[in-house]
């Protein structure tokens, strides 16, 4: 990618910021597998983040516009002016703030092709947010759902125009998960335990279902099972979850690691990834754990059932069903052979269907179609 790129169509990805979360990780992995047919930039509306330097290392420039407040109307004009000056051919937005500001600016700048990826079923959105989405979908070349299940939600619940909504599954950079070992992870975290190592990886947010798991872990502890559980990530729910952990007396069984940059190493250490989500899109952590051959226990929400075949490549339970979560977690904790079988099938599934290279190629195919460029 050292060739001169000034004359190539310019694809601009717009996102709020760049913490090491799912949508942001997807963006980095997709751009790592980009072709030489386009030139790419990333615009952050609010701030950069931990993944900013990773993008720069792979040759993708990052521009930070620095929104000064929720109603910073100047941001719209700065972004519009930047898109014009940089001759953006394609704008591709991610997450609600960037979806709203980015698509509005793209329309004002006269950008030919406008895309947005919807990364979740977004149960949090109220009528106002969904009205904004419906309005802006009329100006979008395509709205990209991260799974078939999310596509159907956008069509049938949010009433987006069916002909504009397409599904392109998330993918991961499989190379990141080859030959990874945990090393001294547990010693680094100050953890010593017997039994199974469990992990929940993601924002500490109501969507992720930590509140449903903590009482289940208490019950398993009371029955004498030995385990430790890592809550990896950070977020607004952390104080409440720490209070719950103390309430149930689980301080010696649950470790809050905060945000980590070594998720592959953490996954390598786990016996079971637990994903008790209340709503989801197609979680990157799910794909990452499966790529590493880990047993996964997840709720059947969003795009998860499109990836995990229950009792074959993992275990699915209904959301917010603590009884089902308890019984299937106990089963997995007590059967290493079953965990290994599920993990092997999970690895095969991800390698066959969910690589970032496939996602990147699919994105670029729809850019070409919108711009009238032959493949």
């Amino acid at each position: 990618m050292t060739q001169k790129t000034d004359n190539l169509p310019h694809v601009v990805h717009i996102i709020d910021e760049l913490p090491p979360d799912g949508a942001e990780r997807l963006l980095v992995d997709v751009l790592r597998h980009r072709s030489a047919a386009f030139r790419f930039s990333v615009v952050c509306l609010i701030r950069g983040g931990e993944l900013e330097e990773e993008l720069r290392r792979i040759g993708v420039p990052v521009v930070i516009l620095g929104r000064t407040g929720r109603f910073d109307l100047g941001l719209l004009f700065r972004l519009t002016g930047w898109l014009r000056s940089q001759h953006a051919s394609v704008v591709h937005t991610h997450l609600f703030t960037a979806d709203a500001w980015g698509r509005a600016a793209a329309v004002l700048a006269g950008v030919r092709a406008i895309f947005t990826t919807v990364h979740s079923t977004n149960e949090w959105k109220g009528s106002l947010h969904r009205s904004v989405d419906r309005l802006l979908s009329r100006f979008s070349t395509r709205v990209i759902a991260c799974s078939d299940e999310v596509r159907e939600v956008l069509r049938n619940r949010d009433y987006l125009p069916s002909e504009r909504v397409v599904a392109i599954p998330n993918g991961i950079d499989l190379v990141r998960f080859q030959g990874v070992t945990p090393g001294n992870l547990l010693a680094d975290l100050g953890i010593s335990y017997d039994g199974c190592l469990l992990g929940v990886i993601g924002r500490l947010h109501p969507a992720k279902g930590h509140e449903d798991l903590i009482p289940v872990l208490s019950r398993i502890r009371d029955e004498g099972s030995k385990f430790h559980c890592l809550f990896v990530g950070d977020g607004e729910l952390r104080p409440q979850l720490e209070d719950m952990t103390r309430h149930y007396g689980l301080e010696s069984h649950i470790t809050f690691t905060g945000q980590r940059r070594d998720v592959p190493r953490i996954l390598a250490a786990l016996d079971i990834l637990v994903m008790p989500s209340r709503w989801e899109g197609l979680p990157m952590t799910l794909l990452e754990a499966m790529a590493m051959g880990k047993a996964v226990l997840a709720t059947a929400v969003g795009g998860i059932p499109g990836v995990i075949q229950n009792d074959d490549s993992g275990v699915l339970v209904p959301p917010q069903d603590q009884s089902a979560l308890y019984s299937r977690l106990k089963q997995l904790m007590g059967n290493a052979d079953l965990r290994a079988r599920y993990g092997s099938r999970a690895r095969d599934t991800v390698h066959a269907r969910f690589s970032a290279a496939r996602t990147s190629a699919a994105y670029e195919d729809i850019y070409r179609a919108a711009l009238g460029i032959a493949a």
Side-chain angles (χ1 to χ4, degrees), residues 287-306:
L287 302 179
E288 292 166 354
M290 293 175 70
M292 295 190 72
K294 296 299 175 177
V296 177
L297 169 58
T299 48
V301 296
I304 295 175

Side-chain angles (χ1 to χ4, degrees), residues 17-332:
E17 52 189 303
L18 289 168
D21 293 332
E24 296 83 1
R25 183 77 256 170
L26 173 69
L27 177 56
V28 174
D29 288 352
V30 163
L31 289 175
R32 189 183 301 280
H33 291 274
R34 67 197 185 279
S35 77
F38 302 88
R39 64 185 177 104
F40 294 87
S41 301
V42 171
V43 173
C44 297
L45 298 188
I46 301 173
R47 63 182 68 87
E50 293 183 39
L51 297 181
E52 180 184 345
E53 184 55 36
E54 192 168 339
L55 282 169
R56 292 199 168 105
R57 282 200 305 269
I58 62 174
V60 178
V62 178
V63 175
I64 301 169
L65 294 185
R67 189 184 69 174
T68 59
R70 291 184 63 188
F71 302 106
D72 176 14
L73 290 179
L75 175 65
L76 178 63
F77 298 107
R78 296 197 301 277
L79 179 56
T80 300
W82 188 91
L83 293 173
R84 284 178 179 153
S85 70
Q86 297 300 311
H87 307 292
S89 305
V90 175
V91 160
H92 191 156
T93 69
H94 305 264
L95 306 176
F96 182 77
T97 298
D99 290 347
W101 292 91
R103 285 187 284 181
V107 171
L108 292 173
V111 175
R112 289 175 60 189
I114 302 172
F115 299 92
T116 185
T117 292
V118 180
H119 295 272
S120 171
T121 55
N122 291 320
E123 303 293 335
W124 63 270
K125 286 186 178 179
S127 58
L128 177 60
H129 293 93
R130 291 176 184 170
S131 295
V132 171
D133 284 339
R134 280 195 295 273
L135 173 63
L136 290 172
S137 71
R138 304 287 175 178
F139 299 95
S140 303
T141 308
R142 290 290 184 271
V143 175
I144 303 168
C146 67
S147 70
D148 292 337
E149 293 78 8
V150 172
R151 177 187 60 195
E152 295 312 304
V153 167
L154 295 175
R155 289 173 170 177
N156 301 321
R157 184 199 70 189
D158 295 352
Y159 305 113
L160 300 193
S162 293
E163 70 278 5
R164 293 184 187 267
V165 183
V166 299
I168 297 178
N170 287 351
I172 62 170
D173 181 11
L174 296 170
V175 175
R176 290 181 63 226
F177 302 93
Q178 295 175 356
V180 179
T181 63
N184 296 321
L185 173 71
L186 297 181
D188 293 346
L189 293 173
I191 295 172
S192 176
Y193 74 101
D194 293 320
C196 277
L197 183 64
L198 318 176
V200 185
I201 301 177
R203 287 181 305 146
L204 304 184
H205 181 277
K208 299 300 183 181
H210 299 81
E211 294 163 290
D212 300 317
L213 178 61
I214 289 174
V216 168
L217 296 179
S218 174
R219 181 177 175 186
I220 291 173
R221 183 272 319 272
D222 290 346
E223 293 174 352
S225 295
K226 296 180 179 180
F227 69 90
H228 198 88
C229 186
L230 305 179
F231 282 2
V232 182
D234 221 332
E236 61 268 40
L237 210 59
R238 180 163 182 164
Q240 182 176 332
L241 294 175
E242 290 177 334
D243 285 345
M244 282 189 71
T245 299
R246 287 189 288 270
H247 172 77
Y248 283 98
L250 287 168
E251 297 95 323
S252 62
H253 289 77
I254 295 175
T255 295
F256 290 81
T257 72
Q259 197 73 262
R260 301 283 300 195
R261 304 185 70 172
D262 56 350
V263 168
R265 190 162 73 116
I266 291 171
L267 287 171
L270 296 183
D271 295 300
I272 304 169
L273 177 76
V274 188
M275 189 165 280
S277 304
R278 296 177 177 182
W279 68 86
E280 278 288 359
L282 179 47
M284 298 294 286
T285 300
L286 170 70
L287 302 179
E288 292 166 354
M290 293 175 70
M292 295 190 72
K294 296 299 175 177
V296 177
L297 169 58
T299 48
V301 296
I304 295 175
V307 181
I308 290 180
Q309 183 176 347
N310 190 34
D311 290 326
D312 177 71
S313 51
V315 178
L316 296 176
V317 297
Q320 296 183 264
D321 185 336
Q322 293 184 14
S323 294
L325 187 60
Y326 161 79
S327 62
R328 297 311 305 269
L329 184 54
K330 279 279 288 187
Q331 179 191 31
L332 278 178

